[in-house]
Amino acid sequence: MATVTTSSPATLQSCKHASHGVVRYCPPLPWRRRSYSQVSTRATASSHGQPSAMTGGRVEAPVGIAAEAGEEGDSIRRLQNGPDVRAVDLTPLAVEVVAESFGEWLREELQRPEGEELRVSVGCDPRLSGARLSAALFAGLARAGCSVFDMGLATTPACFMSTILPGFNYDASIMKKMAELKPSSLVVTNRNAAINLEDQMEMTASHLPYTRNGLKFFTKRGGLTSVDVEKICNRAAQKYVARKMGLGSRGTPPVVMRVDLMSAYSQHLRDIIKQRVAHPTHYDTPLKGFKVIVNAGNGCGGFFTWDVLEKLGADTTGSLHLEPDGMFPNHMPNPEDATAMSLTRDAVMAHGADLGVVFDTDVDRSGVVDDTGAAINGDRLIALMSAIVLDEHPGTMVVTDARASDGLTRFIASRGGHHCLYRVGYRNVIDKGVQLNNDGVETHLMMETTGHGALKENYFLDDGAYMVVKIVIEMVRMKLEGLEGGIGSLIMDLEEPAESVLLRMNILGEPKHARQRGTMAVEAFKNYIQEDKLSGWVLDDCGDCSVGEGCLVDTNDHPIDVDAYMYRAKFYNENMRPLGMVHVRQSVHNPNIALNMQSYLPGGCKSMARDLHERFLLASGVNEFLDTREVEKFVK
């Protein structure tokens, strides 16, 4: 594989994107020091057998071959986890056929003829990547006729922005998070052996341990949908089976161009802050006089410290774990992680900072700590962003997942906004916002309680750094206006549950049956309530779409595809006093059922869990294929 290093043009002209109607000026800057040097990777495409039926250099599987191979093809189809690829039995061949299938799918989507160049960028986070796997990704794209542009260490949002920013403007992008794993054939067949299969076998989400892996795909329209990824994995399954049977060829070694995208992306963020703050005395350094702590968790977020905040004048003394380290030696980079938030709080208080920031590994999620040391994540972060956005766009709709609290709904309503509760899954929440806007419902903010947040003004992209940019701008604005208190003062009236508990029940049996059994369990919960077998439980309704129908049936004419089943219900005691709510959902990424419980009264979560355990889990028989031990332990 040949590797060529390129630079962005010395001067970038303004570029008006017809599809977005905005002008961005993004002059490139040389990428700064500290562990972000780009190292060339040299390898050749792997060979998988002898040449056979080929079209344009690509292997085409004979008709029916995937059906004949059965489990072999299914192992590739199970790479799909919602809108991403997260692999079982990760091998170079699996990575290559998925990348090749993505390239072919992209050509068809863009209606580009064979031979016409497709430009695809690739970024990575600090996970420990096997060279063979990276080479396989590049080789697969090349086999599909794509020119490959390697961005090196990058954030997931920056990958999408590489399709938008002037001077880059690629057709598509892939974010790879890989660590070479040993294949496993472990199957859970009984409750005593129950473990989380993905701990051993799968590559998963951005904030999880260094042994977890994944691929995320972007086009100029944004991230792919679950249906898109399903099509890609089905195509990849046929290629995989064909090459396992020896129907393959070496292909042409790819030529990979090295590019510096992160400098332009950092400049893009700095320009937004400078323009929107418009500081009256020091325009170019609007953060002068502010102290901001960043905890990057040894992921990709360190750039925000030295290439955004410091260059705008901020004092970042005391920032934590900025150097990328794929072993994540200090704590998991995750704004939901208690250790990450606690360490950030301590640093904020020790240095008298105005703000603390916590990023996940690939910076598509974030959380903050205010100047009093209060952690702002989950519902609190949604409330903070809602307050900011509703001040800019009065009356706008805010879309969240259905795990959000009733207190958050009242908070949004008190500021003149509207709240749409929707299915869990960041892609579901974002797509719902896009759909509402297309249907004429002004919707500027879409956020999941895990910290994924997207804004209409930012291409509906879940970008943790952009969320922090919005908060930083508000922080400076409040100071310029002489307002008392930090950003935490904006959510002082948010009502929070007395208790919040998350319990999980692993789905027993072979992984290939997990989705079907998960659906059965969640549907059984709904049926028990509807058939009056669970007195005191009432399926909830959130207005725009019915949580009572599992957020599965939309009231408009263009329903969004379902990738997992879930229902939300409220529980009333014998005096018809509401105790709280339970959100029961089938996990997209793991073979389990999640129970999110929120109680309005102390002790309410245990009462709800006990009632569910005795009158549903045991009575319905779903405990025969669900490991209920975590629930049993909680109610004792």
Side-chain angles (χ1 to χ4, degrees):
M1 176 181 70
T3 304
V4 181
T5 302
T6 66
S7 300
S8 302
T11 303
L12 294 181
Q13 302 299 317
S14 62
C15 176
K16 185 176 179 69
H17 300 282
S19 60
H20 301 289
V22 296
V23 178
R24 302 290 187 204
Y25 294 89
C26 303
L29 294 177
W31 188 239
R32 194 171 172 178
R33 62 190 191 276
R34 315 185 196 183
S35 302
Y36 280 84
S37 58
Q38 298 182 340
V39 180
S40 299
T41 301
R42 298 180 182 274
T44 58
S46 55
S47 175
H48 303 294
Q50 301 302 316
S52 184
M54 297 178 62
T55 302
R58 300 193 305 275
V59 175
E60 301 298 330
V63 176
I65 196 168
E68 293 173 11
E71 184 62 29
E72 293 254 351
D74 287 344
S75 70
I76 299 300
R77 293 184 182 91
R78 289 199 298 270
L79 300 181
Q80 180 192 1
N81 273 251
D84 307 329
V85 160
R86 299 177 180 185
V88 176
D89 292 334
L90 180 63
T91 64
L93 176 54
V95 172
E96 181 175 327
V97 295
V98 169
E100 182 181 353
S101 297
F102 170 69
E104 294 176 357
W105 172 89
L106 179 65
R107 185 173 296 280
E108 293 173 1
E109 285 291 303
L110 298 180
Q111 298 182 346
R112 298 279 185 85
E114 292 286 343
E116 183 175 329
E117 182 187 38
L118 285 175
R119 303 167 74 242
V120 178
S121 63
V122 178
C124 67
D125 71 9
R127 279 176 174 75
L128 306 178
S129 297
R132 291 187 304 147
L133 300 183
S134 295
L137 181 68
F138 297 149
L141 289 171
R143 289 173 69 95
C146 299
S147 297
V148 182
F149 297 82
D150 186 3
M151 298 181 292
L153 192 65
T155 70
T156 294
C159 285
F160 167 74
M161 292 304 295
S162 74
T163 71
I164 299 297
L165 289 175
F168 301 92
N169 201 31
Y170 301 124
D171 295 302
S173 185
I174 299 176
M175 178 68 172
K176 60 184 175 73
K177 293 170 284 193
M178 294 183 174
E180 196 154 11
L181 302 179
K182 294 180 180 180
S184 170
S185 58
L186 178 64
V187 173
V188 174
T189 57
N190 62 74
R191 92 176 47 250
N192 293 326
I195 64 169
N196 187 336
L197 289 174
E198 288 189 339
D199 288 341
Q200 299 295 323
M201 294 164 37
E202 299 200 9
M203 56 184 186
T204 61
S206 59
H207 60 285
L208 294 175
Y210 71 91
T211 54
R212 303 291 191 96
N213 308 270
L215 294 174
K216 291 188 176 183
F217 306 94
F218 297 96
T219 67
K220 293 178 184 293
R221 298 195 308 270
L224 269 59
T225 67
S226 297
V227 173
D228 294 332
V229 177
E230 182 179 8
K231 292 177 182 177
I232 290 167
C233 287
N234 283 337
R235 186 190 296 255
Q238 296 183 42
K239 295 181 183 299
Y240 183 79
V241 171
R243 291 176 195 170
K244 290 284 281 188
M245 296 179 67
L247 306 177
S249 64
R250 178 177 295 275
T252 304
V255 176
V256 179
M257 308 293 287
R258 302 307 302 267
V259 295
D260 178 11
L261 182 280
M262 288 302 295
S263 292
Y265 174 67
S266 299
Q267 177 73 57
H268 167 69
L269 297 180
R270 294 200 306 271
D271 286 346
I272 290 171
I273 294 175
K274 289 193 291 185
Q275 292 164 10
R276 297 186 186 177
V277 169
H279 201 286
T281 59
H282 38 91
Y283 180 89
D284 289 326
T285 55
L287 302 187
K288 184 178 180 181
F290 288 91
K291 294 183 178 181
V292 182
I293 299 291
V294 174
N295 183 349
N298 302 112
C300 296
F303 85 97
F304 195 80
T305 310
W306 53 72
D307 265 358
V308 178
L309 297 175
E310 289 180 4
K311 289 186 176 180
L312 294 177
D315 179 354
T316 64
T317 303
S319 290
L320 303 166
H321 318 316
L322 302 181
E323 302 296 337
D325 186 335
M327 295 294 291
F328 306 133
N330 296 288
H331 58 74
M332 290 318 303
N334 182 0
E336 295 183 286
D337 183 76
T339 301
M341 297 304 289
S342 177
L343 291 175
T344 307
R345 178 192 183 279
D346 292 345
V348 166
M349 301 307 293
H351 294 274
D354 300 284
L355 184 70
V357 178
V358 179
F359 288 123
D360 75 341
T361 312
D362 57 342
V363 196
D364 57 4
R365 300 186 303 128
S366 57
V368 297
V369 174
D370 72 7
D371 59 347
T372 70
I376 301 179
N377 52 15
D379 277 10
R380 291 180 179 182
L381 184 62
I382 299 174
L384 176 59
M385 290 304 305
S386 296
I388 293 172
V389 171
L390 280 164
D391 186 59
E392 299 170 340
H393 305 283
T396 191
M397 179 74 74
V398 176
V399 181
T400 73
D401 63 85
R403 292 172 298 187
S405 67
D406 292 340
L408 177 62
T409 299
R410 290 190 290 271
F411 179 90
I412 293 171
S414 71
R415 283 155 176 76
H418 303 278
H419 188 193
C420 172
L421 290 158
Y422 201 59
R423 291 197 295 269
V424 173
Y426 75 94
R427 194 70 255 165
N428 292 330
V429 171
I430 294 172
D431 287 347
K432 182 63 176 178
V434 173
Q435 182 187 65
L436 287 171
N437 277 287
N438 290 338
D439 291 343
V441 180
E442 185 180 23
T443 306
H444 285 273
L445 176 64
M446 299 120 268
M447 288 198 73
E448 197 182 30
T449 50
T450 57
H452 279 286
L455 290 154
K456 180 180 179 181
E457 69 186 50
N458 190 44
Y459 312 103
F460 298 98
L461 173 67
D462 53 320
D463 186 342
Y466 194 89
M467 287 291 167
V468 174
V469 162
K470 294 285 289 186
I471 293 170
V472 165
I473 291 169
E474 183 67 15
M475 177 183 71
V476 179
R477 183 193 67 79
M478 293 174 66
K479 186 70 171 289
L480 288 174
E481 293 181 4
L483 299 178
E484 295 293 330
I487 52 97
S489 64
L490 297 177
I491 58 171
M492 292 294 290
D493 58 333
L494 174 66
E495 303 170 39
E496 299 186 81
E499 297 175 337
S500 293
V501 174
L502 169 62
L503 302 174
R504 293 187 184 274
M505 299 179 290
N506 285 331
I507 300 171
L508 307 175
E510 296 183 27
K512 65 182 180 181
H513 300 311
R515 177 171 294 186
Q516 179 184 9
R517 290 179 174 179
T519 300
M520 289 171 55
V522 177
E523 286 295 298
F525 174 69
K526 178 197 72 171
N527 292 336
Y528 252 58
I529 294 177
Q530 290 183 332
E531 296 168 5
D532 294 326
K533 296 179 180 178
L534 279 175
S535 58
W537 290 93
V538 178
L539 290 173
D540 203 0
D541 190 329
C542 67
D544 182 73
C545 57
S546 175
V547 185
E549 293 175 330
C551 276
L552 305 178
V553 181
D554 296 321
T555 56
N556 54 41
D557 296 328
H558 308 288
I560 294 173
D561 296 300
V562 176
D563 53 14
Y565 287 79
M566 57 196 74
Y567 295 93
R568 174 168 145 163
K570 288 185 177 178
F571 180 56
Y572 297 81
N573 64 13
E574 61 276 6
N575 299 318
M576 292 306 294
R577 183 178 183 180
L579 288 185
M581 73 90 171
V582 170
H583 187 271
V584 180
R585 64 185 174 90
Q586 172 189 12
S587 175
V588 174
H589 304 305
N590 298 285
N592 65 44
I593 299 295
L595 297 177
N596 286 90
M597 296 185 290
Q598 295 179 1
S599 173
Y600 310 135
L601 302 170
C605 285
K606 182 166 289 189
S607 296
M608 289 188 290
R610 183 179 295 113
D611 197 74
L612 277 180
H613 180 252
E614 294 176 357
R615 297 204 295 137
F616 169 62
L617 296 176
L618 297 182
S620 68
V622 296
N623 62 317
E624 294 180 4
F625 57 87
L626 293 182
D627 177 12
T628 61
R629 287 180 299 175
E630 192 169 315
V631 179
E632 294 165 3
K633 181 179 178 180
F634 176 70
V635 299
K636 285 183 179 178

